[in-house]
Amino acid sequence: MFPSCCSKPGDSGGKRTSITKVLLGVFVVYMLHTVWLLYGFLNTKPCDRGRGEYCISSYLAQRPRLQLSVFTCLVPDASQLNLIVKIDPFDLNSAFERQVNVSLPEKTRANGSLHAVVYVHKAGVSPLEDSREVHYAAQLTAFITPRHKEGQRDIQKKLTPRSEEPVSHWRPRLSITMMSEDFTFNKAGLPSDVRRYMRVSQEGIKMTYLPLLLVDELSFRVRDLMEISSSTIQLPLIVSYEGISLRTFRFWIHLQDVVYSLRQFGFTEENIDEIKETLVGSNLYLLVLTALVTTLHLICEFLALKNDISSWRKKKSMVGMSRKSVLWRCLSTLLIFLHLLEETSLLVLIPVGLGACIEVWKVFKVFKIQVQWKSSRSIIHVNKLEEAERKTVDYDTRASRCLSYLVYPLCISGAIFSLAYLRYKSYYSWLINSLVTGVYAFGFLSMAPQLYINHKLKCVGHLQGTVLMYRGVNTFISDLCSCVSFLSSSGSFSSSHQLSCFRDELLFLLYLYQRRRYTSRARGRESGTHSKKLKTQ
């Protein structure tokens, strides 16, 4: 009856399945490797001199009398240093916070930069004369496009184009951290992340590492920046210090590396600030749990995408498939892609763009549109529908018509309200934001015509249950995160995304109910038919 099952297409399906298993195996090995690295990161093994290991002891174990000095300069190691903070004696276990007024040089006021150089050195000795000093240079200024209030935005548009160019802004906080833990490292097993910040002093056989100094970049937020004008003479600066353990020191290093990588991928500073708040405001165990949930989300998304493409490639008849639902999903994905195109990096745009291409391909499949190329010209063919497919289209049209009476008035009224009371960059931005808000608010209704068709046909066999299960898990995870964000008021998600919290669960549960009910009915009919055959025999 199905000769193709034993032919070459079946073998290609087996090859695709094996490739999927290989990719999943590689992903699992990668995650296990990451967990192993995380374990080594949390449990740094100290040096054991009794086993003859070469050890690097801490300079702080000698209890030296230290001094903390903070200077400002235009260019580190190449300009004059100006002292702004002096802590003598410096107790590395005592946290402090001081506010000072910093005088700005003329070059800094003329859209220039300014740096801070933090020195830890012997008390009473100039840091430039101390051979065991450690220092760390950090920027006190940042170049960003000035942000104006909504009432000033129209006025700024009438000014010269220079008003939209990046200008120098002041960072009002300098957070200094130093590892205060007396830890002895093994020279052979010295962690690579610590090695970047370590200076070693050797006297004969004895090796001593100098204090590990770090300026916390994760506490910096774009909203805290202050624009520097040519008339600004002094600006306040809060200098704080906190001693940390080795585990926390390595944790901060890895988080700052993550932030640097996000900048290289094209994330905006506003998006990075949201990620910083998530990283800094959570403890390590919650971050590990978040990483595991994200991994589960990626695996389910990959499996759903793989099964979805495979089922649609094999689908020949469109009986029971809602054309309006597929078209709505395609348009929704394209609108979200256009919305993200204005404010998101390529790391997020590429997966969304691939998903939009797949949805467009589904539209061609469900409408039976074929594009053929002949003599450098494209010819579009629309195949005729079968009788059962025309019946499905009739049910689909009826459900979509009833649905439009609810969705269209609400979307139009919401768009008019946002145009009257909210500000946008342009009419294009208003149009895209209004459409995306409608997608987020009423996106769950896209499955309603499909449920109506299932009810009329008393069957769900035309749907891919595995894909819906994977997507149901992903939707539950996403909506749970949205609900937590909404309750905590962290602002990590947009208000439109928060409005869509638990948008798909109700209809997904209805699909599960239909699947259970219609499957049990089909089994009952099959058993009844089988018993009648036995009686006739």
Side-chain angles (χ1 to χ4, degrees), residues 81-99:
L81 298 176
N82 299 310
L83 182 65
I84 59 172
V85 174
K86 176 182 177 181
I87 307 296
D88 183 17
F90 170 54
D91 185 5
L92 54 96
N93 294 313
S94 299
F96 69 85
E97 181 175 298
R98 292 189 180 183
Q99 180 173 345

Side-chain angles (χ1 to χ4, degrees), residues 322-369:
S322 172
R323 298 170 122 196
K324 298 298 192 311
S325 295
V326 176
L327 183 61
W328 173 265
R329 265 197 312 271
C330 177
L331 295 177
S332 302
T333 310
L334 289 174
L335 286 173
I336 292 174
F337 177 76
L338 293 176
H339 175 67
L340 296 176
L341 195 62
E342 295 183 335
E343 55 186 23
T344 313
S345 65
L346 291 176
L347 190 64
V348 179
L349 283 176
I350 291 177
V352 177
L354 291 176
C357 293
I358 294 174
E359 294 298 332
V360 171
W361 170 67
K362 288 182 183 179
V363 170
F364 277 78
K365 287 280 291 184
V366 77
F367 282 88
K368 293 193 171 183
I369 301 174

